[in-house]
């Protein structure tokens, strides 16, 4: 059997490594191919730190060939353009095709702009490693430009960063940026007094999936760090250097970061797969794509049922990884002709960092804040790195 896994992120890489191990342990010779557009695995969970120069860029990526070196996994670097279920093939951008007996879609998500005019054209997203590098370089350039002018109004605009979206990405980046600006001013000569960071959220809560306690705590911490939080603030349009807010207000900013949501990759809908309103592929409790016996999906690109009220599993790295692990077992069952187990989402809680010294979260449902939360967050990251690095060992 040839099993093709699309996407070497948290879900896809985990699925590939675990499946390879299980197949070898059981003496199977089935072939596993992992496809990704990049030559590296990116730790998207930490890219906001790269964007705020709090982490060297190299620490956010791992070379895929090195990770797969000790495994019988074939790595294909290429961008997926289309999936053709009727022919059981995947088409890549460069014209190559791959045929499969079983397919796993783990292509992650893309930034969603929610039909806000100008958002795609005039903001910087923060969803990939390359986005993080671009944002970091843009910020340095804005601060350098501010140091070159003596007009305080121009300086203030250049040194204002508006972050749209108060979820994981927006809050974590705001916290990191707040810690960076002193150094950035010292390095560039930009006037510290003109620096502004605005976090704009359309609902009444930051980090809404965490509940009111975490939300209020995050708001307080960010406020202490000098981030102005604007709740119930709807961005209606974006123009170069300017946000138009519902109610007629405008916010001018030299840097506008769009962290306003995510959606499934458009190629899923274009390939005729069943998707929800956010473009995520619909799967059942086995992570099998609806009406597709041979195709599975995991991670941010999949709409995975969580509760009878229609809620789906949150888009986080921790869930994505466990879905990857689950799919490895499911695919082994497929190889061996056994029925698979259903996927039961394990809710372990989440942690959000707000700069280097603050974090907030609800591991195992318990509210945690401050240093204990920072240590836990670092522990989770170290655990993941250790898992990856064990693949590198001879
Ligand atoms: C700034 C930020 C901070 C975050 N912080 C946290 C956190 O603290 N904790 C947490 O649990 N979650 C966090 N998340 C969410 C977490 O990163 C995602 O839920 C997780 O990355 C999803 O894993 P995945 O495997 O579905 O997708 P990804 O990790 O995004 O992997 C998808 C892979 O598919 C590849 N790919 C995509 N399209 C194509 C194509 N057409 N062809 C070939 N390859 C393709 C990509 O290159 C990538 O390697 C954060 C996200 C962001 C943006």
């Amino acid at each position: 059997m040839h099993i093709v896994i699309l996407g070497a992120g948290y879900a896809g890489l985990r699925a590939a490594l675990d499946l390879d191990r299980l197949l070898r342990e059981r003496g199977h010779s089935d072939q596993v191919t992992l496809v990704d557009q990049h030559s590296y695995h990116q730790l998207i969970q930490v890219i906001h730190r790269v964007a705020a120069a709090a982490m060297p860029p190299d620490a956010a990526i791992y070379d895929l060939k090195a990770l797969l070196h000790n495994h019988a996994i074939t790595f294909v670097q290429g961008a997926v353009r289309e999936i053709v279920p009727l022919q059981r093939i995947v088409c890549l951008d460069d014209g190559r095709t791959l045929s499969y007996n079983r397919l796993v879609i783990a292509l992650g998500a893309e930034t969603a702009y929610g039909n806000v005019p100008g958002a795609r054209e005039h903001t910087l997203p923060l969803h990939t490693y390359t986005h993080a590098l671009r944002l970091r370089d843009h910020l340095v350039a804005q601060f350098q430009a501010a140091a070159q002018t003596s007009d305080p109004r121009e300086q203030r605009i250049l040194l204002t960063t508006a972050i749209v979206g108060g979820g994981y990405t927006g809050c974590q980046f705001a916290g990191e940026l707040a810690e960076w600006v002193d150094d950035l001013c010292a390095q560039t000569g930009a006037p510290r007094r003109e620096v502004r960071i605005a976090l704009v959220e359309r609902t009444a809560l930051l980090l809404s999936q965490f509940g009111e306690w975490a939300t209020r705590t995050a708001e307080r911490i960010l406020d202490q760090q000098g981030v102005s939080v604007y709740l119930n603030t709807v961005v209606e349009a974006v123009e170069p250097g300017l946000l138009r807010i519902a109610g007629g207000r405008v916010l001018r900013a030299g840097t506008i970061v769009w962290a306003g949501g995510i959606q499934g990759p458009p190629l899923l809908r274009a390939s005729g797969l069943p998707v929800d309103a956010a473009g995520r592929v619909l799967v059942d409790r086995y992570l099998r794509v609806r009406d597709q016996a041979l195709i599975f999906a995991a991670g941010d690109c999949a709409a995975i049922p969580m509760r009878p009220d229609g809620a789906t599993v949150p888009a986080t790295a921790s869930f994505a990884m466990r879905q990857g692990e689950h799919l490895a077992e499911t695919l082994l069952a497929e190889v061996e002709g056994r029925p698979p187990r259903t996927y039961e989402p394990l809710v372990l809680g989440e942690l959000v960092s707000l700069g280097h010294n603050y974090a907030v979260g609800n591991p195992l449902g318990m509210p945690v804040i401050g240093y204990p939360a920072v240590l836990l967050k670092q522990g989770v990251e170290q655990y993941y790195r250790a898992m990856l690095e064990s693949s590198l060992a001879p």
Side-chain angles (χ1 to χ4, degrees):
M1 191 180 278
H2 183 205
I3 298 156
V4 175
I5 300 175
L6 305 180
Y10 290 91
L13 180 63
R14 193 71 260 149
L17 292 172
D18 279 15
L19 178 59
D20 175 64
R21 178 179 50 77
L22 291 171
L23 289 172
R24 304 313 137 206
E25 277 172 11
R26 304 285 190 115
H28 298 297
S29 56
D30 301 77
Q31 203 193 333
V32 180
T33 298
L34 180 62
V35 182
D36 202 284
Q37 60 196 341
H38 299 300
S39 59
Y40 50 80
H41 168 67
Q42 36 187 340
L43 269 58
I44 295 183
Q45 286 195 79
V46 301
I47 56 162
H48 51 283
R49 298 181 60 203
V50 172
M55 175 181 274
D58 284 0
I61 52 172
Y62 283 82
D63 180 69
L64 277 166
K65 281 207 176 109
L67 283 176
L68 302 175
H69 180 68
N70 295 307
H71 299 268
I73 299 167
T74 304
F75 174 58
V76 173
Q77 187 180 347
V80 178
R81 182 168 48 82
E82 191 186 0
I83 298 162
V84 190
L86 277 177
Q87 295 175 38
R88 282 197 235 156
I89 57 166
V90 173
C91 306
L92 304 185
D93 252 3
D94 58 10
R96 283 178 293 170
T97 58
L98 295 166
S99 58
Y100 61 82
N101 300 108
R102 296 291 181 279
L103 182 69
V104 172
I105 307 172
L107 291 170
E110 295 184 0
T111 304
Y113 294 96
N115 294 326
V116 175
R120 185 184 292 274
E121 296 80 6
H122 306 304
T123 68
L124 292 164
L126 181 53
H127 197 82
T128 66
Y129 172 69
T130 47
H131 291 160
L133 295 179
R134 185 148 55 104
L135 176 54
R136 184 201 58 180
D137 293 349
H138 175 89
L139 281 160
V140 172
Q142 297 299 91
F143 277 62
Q144 284 170 338
Q148 301 301 316
T149 172
S150 51
D151 176 354
R153 186 174 175 273
E154 202 183 328
Q155 284 179 329
R156 173 169 291 203
I157 294 172
L158 285 166
L159 297 176
T160 297
T161 303
I163 303 163
V164 183
Y168 256 114
T169 305
C171 287
Q172 296 195 116
F173 177 61
E176 294 293 341
L177 180 60
E179 284 185 2
W180 187 30
V181 288
D182 283 346
D183 277 354
L184 198 46
C185 287
Q187 278 164 22
T188 57
R192 179 66 181 86
R193 64 182 179 282
E194 301 298 351
V195 173
R196 303 282 183 281
I197 304 172
L199 180 60
V200 180
E201 164 57 40
R202 63 180 300 137
T203 71
L205 296 174
L206 296 179
L207 299 168
S208 51
Q209 75 272 35
F210 282 74
E212 182 127 6
W213 169 82
T215 273
R216 297 294 167 220
T217 309
E219 211 181 309
R220 183 170 50 75
I221 294 171
L222 288 170
D223 182 60
Q224 283 165 4
Q225 290 173 314
V227 176
S228 306
V229 177
Y230 298 92
L231 298 174
N232 298 307
T233 303
V234 178
V235 173
E236 285 188 330
V238 188
E239 293 167 20
L242 185 147
L243 290 179
R244 291 206 176 277
I245 313 274
R249 284 176 298 157
V250 296
L251 176 61
R252 291 182 195 281
T255 304
I256 304 176
V257 180
W258 192 266
I262 55 172
Q263 63 179 19
L267 75 89
L268 302 178
R269 191 192 298 273
S271 296
L273 295 170
V275 292
D276 69 359
R280 299 175 306 167
V281 68
L282 300 171
V283 298
D284 63 15
R285 298 301 301 266
Y286 300 94
L287 304 183
R288 199 186 296 267
V289 174
R290 193 184 284 175
D291 303 326
Q292 294 292 338
L294 309 179
I295 309 181
F296 299 83
D300 287 6
C301 68
I304 302 171
M306 175 116 166
R307 289 195 306 263
D309 67 1
T312 52
V313 176
T316 72
S318 37
F319 279 110
M321 235 179 335
R322 289 193 291 275
Q323 289 153 19
E325 283 167 12
H326 184 85
L327 275 185
E329 288 180 15
T330 300
L331 290 160
L332 178 71
E334 292 275 301
V335 165
E336 296 182 339
R338 293 183 282 109
R341 282 189 307 118
T342 55
Y343 164 71
E344 304 297 339
L346 186 59
V347 181
L348 295 176
E350 303 299 339
L351 289 154
V352 173
S353 63
L354 301 167
H356 194 63
N357 298 311
Y358 299 94
V360 57
N362 56 4
L364 302 173
M366 286 183 317
V368 184
I369 175 179
Y371 206 54
V374 172
L375 284 181
L376 274 171
K377 178 92 178 141
Q378 287 171 355
V380 171
E381 187 188 320
Q382 287 315 321
Y383 174 73
Y384 187 65
R385 288 184 186 278
M387 239 167 35
L388 289 181
E389 281 157 22
S390 71
S391 281
L392 294 170

